[in-house]
Each structure stands twice: as C-alpha cells, then as structure tokens.
Amino acid sequence: AISCGNEAVIHVAHYAEYLVRDSRTQVVGILTEGIKDPEKFLAVARLAADREKPLIVLKIGKSEKGVKAAQAHTGTLVGSDAVYDAVFKHHGVVRVHDLDDFIETVELFSKRKRPRRGRLGFIAPSGAECGLVADIATDIGIDLPELPAKTVDRLKKVQSPFLSIRNPLNAPEQYTRKEEIFNECIAALLDADNLDIVGLRLPLPRMREDRDVVNRFADLAQAGKKTEKLLIVFPRASVSLPEYWRQLLRDHEIPFLLEYRKVFQALKSLLRYYHFLDRDKASLDSGVRAGVNLDKVKGLLRS
C-alpha cells in the first residue's frame, strides 16, 4: 500500500510501473482522482497487459459534485468520465465503482485462476437462496447453465429425493455435516464439462472446535488443489470472518468474498479482463478502437 499524496513529483503511474515490474506483486489496485501523466499511465497499462498483471482502478469524480470535491482536495483536473471509461476499456484496465467492489475484485483477481469461460455452478443450502443467487447472477450477466445429465445422475446418489437437482443446486442444510455429501456435491460440479467456476455458500464455523465445519474447510482446500477451475466461497451477506479462517482459505488459494452481488460483479470483471487478454490486447498498438482516437484522449485526460 502506497500513499501518493498530491503527486507533486512522482505520480500514480510511476508507482504502478514499479509494481507491474515487481515479480512479487500479482495485482495492482489504484484509487485515484485523476491521471496526471496520461502518456506514462497508458505505457504502464500496455506493460501490465503484456505481463497479464491486472490493473484495478477506483476512479473518483464521476459526478459533478465528485469532480468539485476532487478539485478542492488536491487540485486535480479529473477529466471526462466517459473518456476514462473508453481508455480503461481499450487498455484492459478494470474499473470498479466503490470501495467494496475494489476490495472484492482485488481479492478475486489475486488468486490468479483463469476460467476458460464464465459458466458458474453454485451450491447453497436453501431453495430460496438458490432463487436469490439465480436472480442476481442473471441480472449481472453470469451464466448458470443446466447441469449435464451425467452430473444429475451422479448427484441423485447423494441428494435428498425431496430436492430437485438443478443449477443453482439446493444442497441439504446438513450437507456441511456429512462429509460424503459435501465432497460429492463439489466434485460433481467441478467435474461437469459445462462449468468453469464453482461457487458455494458455506456456513461459517462459530469456533475452531466446530469439527464438522472445520473438516469441510479442509475438504474444500483439498478440492481446490486438485482442479484448475475457480472455486469461490462466500456468505449471503457481508460478515466478519475471524483471521484464523481467512488465513486457512488464503493458504489454499480459495477466495472468500462478501455478498452475492459484489461477488458476481467482481466475477464479471474477471471474465471481461481475460476476454480482453484473449481477444482485444492486440488492438493496443492500433491506436484506434471503437471510434476512440487515443491521441485525442490524451489531450482530454490532461484537460
């Protein structure tokens, strides 16, 4: 974490360049009111794209009042928000719009797992919760494909006959207490050919002595080691997770994210970023994309 102050001499772009070149840094997060050196920043963005090191930016000053507040604070001329959007999109810079999104997006990107596509399989121990997940995922544009027939057949062996088998998967409330059911639900979705990401809502342990839930965390860690697919754990809403449990998930490279909408927004940003790397990165050298003249953009950023 670096505070740039008023950037009287060294700008955000200089710090960003150092971090992009630093082998120990995996993700660069930037909170800024404006870009004082557009040419330098765009060069750093191109370098970050070449190295596939994400730049995640929370740009302050979208609204008229936000612009005035930024000018009053540091004297920064924040430039046109539409221009920033166009430049960031062209250069694969991930833009977020509030501090919660910033934190969740940095956490998700830091795991460095690259989904082939954006097809999500989800497990929740509540039918109503499955409906909530489906509503929010659809609203944000996250794909929840139907489960393959062989996955459904596999889950029938452990699923209650009173619960339907679909995606999102309504697992029994006690699935965290039953090792075989828990592991088979996760393994079945991880093995499904039409899923790239598996998310689950895991009830959190109230204490370290809650051995059933402790063991499920250990099972989850083992599942994460055996797959290239992205595995995500999160609760229904924002909660405080004791450091002991956070460290356990960090040690096994499993992101723990807060609240469904924030998770899906961060996931959408991740998918867009890898889409950029696969299809749009070559356009950085062309100078023009989607009607955006980058020479003109530099001048607009300065003003």
Side-chain angles (χ1 to χ4, degrees):
I2 302 169
S3 174
C4 301
N6 282 11
E7 302 178 75
V9 178
I10 300 177
H11 300 162
V12 163
H14 295 99
Y15 293 109
E17 181 181 24
Y18 173 84
L19 295 172
V20 167
R21 295 184 184 279
D22 176 32
S23 61
R24 299 165 299 174
T25 301
Q26 295 179 315
V27 181
V28 179
I30 299 172
L31 191 154
T32 184
E33 294 167 339
I35 305 299
K36 289 191 172 184
D37 188 342
E39 288 89 347
K40 179 71 173 178
F41 182 82
L42 296 181
V44 172
R46 286 192 291 271
L47 177 65
D50 287 341
R51 299 193 175 199
E52 299 191 1
K53 188 171 291 191
L55 295 180
I56 298 169
V57 177
L58 173 53
K59 164 69 175 60
I60 298 169
K62 291 181 64 177
S63 65
E64 182 180 351
K65 288 186 180 293
V67 169
K68 290 179 179 178
Q71 291 173 342
H73 176 222
T74 60
T76 300
L77 297 174
V78 297
S80 165
D81 195 67
V83 171
Y84 276 101
D85 265 345
V87 173
F88 288 166
K89 184 177 180 181
H90 179 79
H91 284 78
V93 175
V94 178
R95 187 175 188 183
V96 295
H97 296 286
D98 63 46
L99 196 54
D100 284 336
D101 280 340
F102 183 82
I103 293 169
E104 301 308 300
T105 304
V106 168
E107 166 69 7
L108 181 60
F109 272 74
S110 71
K111 302 311 175 189
R112 304 295 286 176
K113 279 205 171 182
R114 182 173 183 166
R116 290 178 301 166
R117 291 170 60 186
R119 301 167 298 180
L120 171 70
F122 193 86
I123 307 171
S126 160
E129 196 169 345
C130 288
L132 178 63
V133 167
D135 284 345
I136 298 174
T138 301
D139 185 40
I140 292 175
I142 300 297
D143 185 17
L144 290 165
E146 293 297 324
L147 298 176
K150 63 180 181 180
T151 302
V152 173
D153 291 339
R154 181 175 174 179
L155 287 168
K156 283 180 180 178
K157 299 174 183 178
V158 296
Q159 181 68 300
S160 165
F162 302 104
L163 297 174
S164 60
I165 299 175
R166 55 169 55 97
N167 185 22
L169 177 66
N170 180 11
E173 180 65 41
Q174 290 297 309
Y175 89 119
T176 54
R177 303 291 176 187
K178 298 177 180 179
E179 178 181 357
E180 179 185 356
I181 295 175
F182 179 82
N183 287 327
E184 186 62 12
C185 286
I186 294 173
L189 296 193
L190 287 174
D191 290 343
D193 293 336
N194 69 335
L195 298 179
D196 311 292
I197 306 156
V198 173
L200 69 154
R201 204 266 286 176
L202 180 63
L204 302 178
R206 293 177 176 83
M207 57 187 71
R208 296 191 194 189
E209 291 75 20
D210 189 345
R211 296 311 310 171
D212 283 332
V213 182
V214 170
N215 290 338
R216 297 301 78 76
F217 270 75
D219 292 340
L220 197 61
Q222 289 302 313
K225 286 180 180 179
K226 297 174 183 176
T227 182
E228 292 300 312
K229 294 184 178 181
L230 179 61
L231 188 58
I232 306 173
V233 178
F234 46 93
R236 285 181 293 234
S238 296
V239 296
S240 177
L241 185 65
E243 181 58 27
Y244 173 81
W245 300 107
R246 286 188 180 276
Q247 187 60 50
L248 182 64
L249 291 172
R250 276 199 298 266
D251 288 346
H252 295 94
E253 293 295 307
I254 298 173
F256 177 81
L257 305 178
L258 298 180
E259 196 267 320
Y260 290 145
R261 187 166 291 276
K262 299 296 184 187
V263 174
F264 292 140
Q265 286 171 338
L267 186 55
K268 190 71 173 179
S269 293
L270 184 79
L271 297 173
R272 284 173 178 160
Y273 177 73
Y274 285 120
H275 178 90
F276 163 81
L277 291 183
D278 291 337
R279 300 190 181 185
D280 298 334
K281 190 168 69 171
S283 69
L284 287 180
D285 295 327
S286 69
V288 179
R289 178 171 174 265
V292 178
N293 185 306
L294 294 185
D295 289 331
K296 193 175 293 184
V297 159
K298 293 174 184 177
L300 288 169
L301 287 178
R302 291 191 200 93
S303 61

